[in-house]
Amino acid sequence: MTANSTAYKAPGASGAGGTSGAGGTSGAGGTSTRPLRRRRPASPARRSGWTPWLYLLPALVLLGGLLVYPICQLGLISFLEYTQAQVSGGEPTTFQGFGNYATLFGDSQFWQVLLATVVFAATCVLATLLVGCTLAVLLTRIRALPRLALMMAALGAWATPAITGSTVWVFLFDPDFGPVNRVLGLGDFSWTYGRYSAFALVLLEVLWCSFPFVMVTVYAGIRAIPTEVLEAAALDGASQWRIWRSVMAPMLRPILVVVTIQSIIWDFKVFTQIYVMTNGGGIAGQNLVLNVYAYQKAFASSQYSLGSAIGVVMLVILLAVTLVHLRLVRRQGEEL
């Protein structure tokens, strides 16, 4: 090989400037660098964002069959004339448009039942929050063994089926054999005869099976509050009520909003307790709520279209409450 022959350069070796070549080896410095890795191109499913929906597809199909189809049928029947004559095939089904809703909104009993439902649900929610929050604070003040006993008793009430709890409460307040009248000295007083006493009896049962959820949830939130904050408030001379109002309640605001909205949804659609304890809505329908009213219209009177219209009205009201709930939950998630 002659002196003028060009020296052989290894692939990727740097030139005179010492810059690194394509292979990633350095020049004059002699140090090596790791080769750059090329990113794999995203799959079409990932680029289009369909992957999460593929995982959710089985659940969406199940929910569509269990929820969407019945709701569509409910809405469809509310626009038809659908009574026992149409069910048996004696008369053809006709389209009524908003006629069923006009009949429903023109009925004074519907507005009375709606008002009674709103007042009853609001009272149940307030009582549930009051008892649940009070017991949640009490759980933080008592020892471990009484706390465990209270928690187990509350969870037992929460796990009891509604029809079982309603039957037990009817027996407890029975005018002939119930122990409550004997203890209170009320004789043969009938709690289900009067309108307000019957609503009060149902309210007690609803409160009994609803407060454990609020108690456990709020208690978990209180345990998450730093003890230094509560100790500082106590050292400043704040009373227990002032600590709750000025310290605990603001810090528990997201939890209180969630339990309030869920309690509204549950108490607004109470059915079993009213139906069992007042024998289908009380004397002359004095204890009707919307759920029981819809049941009577649809099955007792065979006016399935009116019953469906009541169901749609309830669905719209609860949907509005649920949307508020979801918005509040999303806002709380952003704050956290």
Side-chain angles (χ1 to χ4, degrees):
M1 181 178 297
T2 61
N4 295 329
S5 61
T6 305
Y8 173 79
K9 292 183 179 179
S14 62
T19 58
S20 59
T25 59
S26 63
T31 59
S32 60
T33 58
R34 297 176 63 181
L36 298 176
R37 294 182 180 179
R38 295 183 179 180
R39 293 183 179 180
R40 294 182 179 179
S43 61
R46 182 176 300 178
R47 287 198 304 264
S48 60
W50 285 103
T51 303
W53 293 104
L54 293 178
Y55 288 108
L56 293 174
L57 183 60
L60 293 177
V61 172
L62 181 62
L63 291 176
L66 296 178
L67 295 178
V68 177
Y69 178 75
I71 291 175
C72 292
Q73 289 296 315
L74 181 72
L76 177 61
I77 294 176
S78 67
F79 290 104
L80 303 176
E81 183 183 1
Y82 201 70
T83 61
Q84 187 61 38
Q86 283 75 29
V87 173
S88 61
E91 296 181 7
T93 302
T94 57
F95 182 74
Q96 296 293 319
F98 290 96
N100 292 320
Y101 293 96
T103 302
L104 184 65
F105 295 151
D107 187 3
S108 60
Q109 187 182 14
F110 167 75
W111 295 106
Q112 295 174 2
V113 173
L114 178 60
L115 178 61
T117 304
V118 172
V119 174
F120 176 75
T123 307
C124 288
V125 171
L126 293 176
T128 302
L129 291 176
L130 178 61
V131 174
C133 293
T134 303
L135 292 179
V137 175
L138 178 63
L139 287 175
T140 62
R141 300 288 188 268
I142 59 179
R143 296 182 180 272
L145 188 59
R147 183 190 307 124
L148 179 61
L150 180 56
M151 292 280 286
M152 295 300 295
L155 293 178
W158 192 15
T160 302
I163 188 170
T164 303
S166 301
T167 305
V168 171
W169 276 78
V170 168
F171 169 75
L172 291 176
F173 288 85
D174 186 84
D176 297 323
F177 307 102
V180 175
N181 282 7
R182 296 181 182 178
V183 173
L184 299 179
L186 297 177
D188 57 351
F189 175 76
S190 177
W191 290 82
T192 58
Y193 182 79
R195 182 185 185 188
Y196 297 106
S197 60
F199 269 127
L201 181 60
V202 177
L203 185 147
L204 290 176
E205 201 282 331
V206 173
L207 173 63
W208 176 73
C209 64
S210 300
F211 83 87
F213 169 74
V214 178
M215 183 190 72
V216 173
T217 306
V218 175
Y219 173 71
I222 294 176
R223 299 297 295 179
I225 298 176
T227 56
E228 295 82 1
V229 177
L230 302 179
E231 292 175 356
L235 290 176
D236 289 339
S239 61
Q240 294 297 327
W241 166 248
R242 184 63 184 273
I243 292 176
W244 166 261
R245 183 171 59 90
S246 302
V247 180
M248 289 186 179
M251 299 184 72
L252 295 174
R253 180 172 164 273
I255 295 177
L256 293 176
V257 170
V258 171
V259 297
T260 301
I261 298 299
Q262 291 186 347
S263 298
I264 291 174
I265 295 174
W266 291 342
D267 295 338
F268 189 82
K269 59 185 184 66
V270 166
F271 173 83
T272 305
Q273 291 88 343
I274 290 287
Y275 191 83
V276 173
M277 301 179 71
T278 64
N279 195 20
I283 300 174
Q286 63 182 2
N287 297 114
L288 285 176
V289 292
L290 280 181
N291 245 347
V292 181
Y293 185 57
Y295 178 84
Q296 286 192 354
K297 285 293 184 182
F299 298 100
S301 302
S302 298
Q303 299 178 358
Y304 303 106
S305 54
L306 285 179
S308 300
I310 299 172
V312 171
V313 172
M314 289 188 60
L315 178 63
V316 172
I317 296 174
L318 292 179
L319 182 60
V321 176
T322 304
L323 291 177
V324 173
H325 177 210
L326 294 176
R327 183 177 180 181
L328 292 174
V329 169
R330 182 177 180 182
R331 181 181 300 176
Q332 293 159 13
E334 292 176 354
E335 292 177 356
L336 295 176

